[in-house]
Amino acid sequence: MQIDKIRDQMLDEFFDGILALESKEECFAFFDDLLTLNEIKMMVQRYQVAKMLYEKKTYSVIEKETHASTATIARVKRSLFDGNNSYDMLFKRIELEKNDQTNNDEE
């Protein structure tokens, strides 16, 4: 993994801090304090690109909806398909949660 190049106690503590967040509101507040608006927009854009690639959307659709460059889309695509499978894990978990909520609502 690329991140192994910088992995140390400080990075572990940073991720422990993120994992300690308990709600979406706490995430909003923390990331608002941590990042600039442009940094947040960039992260959200890359996440949306990954999601759309995962859903098999075309580059032209992704460019139009996210305003991401083809270079950004290509970079995210490499991570999505040749990375650590973290996007796949995340998207599957989100889908499972949606299905669980739907099933609970039907009961």
Side-chain angles (χ1 to χ4, degrees):
M1 286 191 281
Q2 290 183 59
I3 202 164
D4 286 338
K5 296 174 187 170
I6 62 166
R7 189 168 186 170
D8 61 10
Q9 182 180 351
M10 288 188 297
L11 185 59
D12 283 350
E13 288 176 6
F14 173 72
F15 286 131
D16 288 341
I18 290 173
L19 290 170
L21 298 170
E22 295 180 354
S23 69
K24 196 179 290 188
E25 288 304 316
E26 287 183 2
C27 289
F28 278 117
F30 177 72
F31 283 98
D32 187 49
D33 287 344
L34 180 68
L35 302 169
T36 66
L37 286 179
N38 283 337
E39 290 167 334
I40 293 169
K41 287 179 183 179
M42 182 181 65
M43 288 176 57
V44 170
Q45 181 187 62
R46 288 183 180 184
Y47 178 84
Q48 288 303 317
V49 167
K51 184 176 173 220
M52 294 175 80
L53 286 167
Y54 188 79
E55 295 168 346
K56 310 263 191 271
K57 305 278 174 141
T58 64
Y59 269 43
S60 60
V61 169
I62 296 168
E63 278 183 284
K64 184 177 180 180
E65 290 187 25
T66 66
H67 306 287
S69 68
T70 55
T72 296
I73 297 168
R75 184 176 184 282
V76 171
K77 184 177 179 181
R78 275 193 306 277
S79 294
L80 180 64
F81 295 110
D82 297 325
N84 300 305
N85 297 317
S86 59
Y87 285 117
D88 187 55
M89 172 202 60
L90 183 64
F91 295 140
K92 284 180 179 175
R93 285 184 186 171
I94 290 169
E95 188 61 35
L96 282 173
E97 285 182 20
K98 283 182 187 177
N99 289 338
D100 286 348
Q101 287 177 349
T102 301
N103 291 338
N104 289 339
D105 290 345
E106 291 175 357
E107 292 176 359

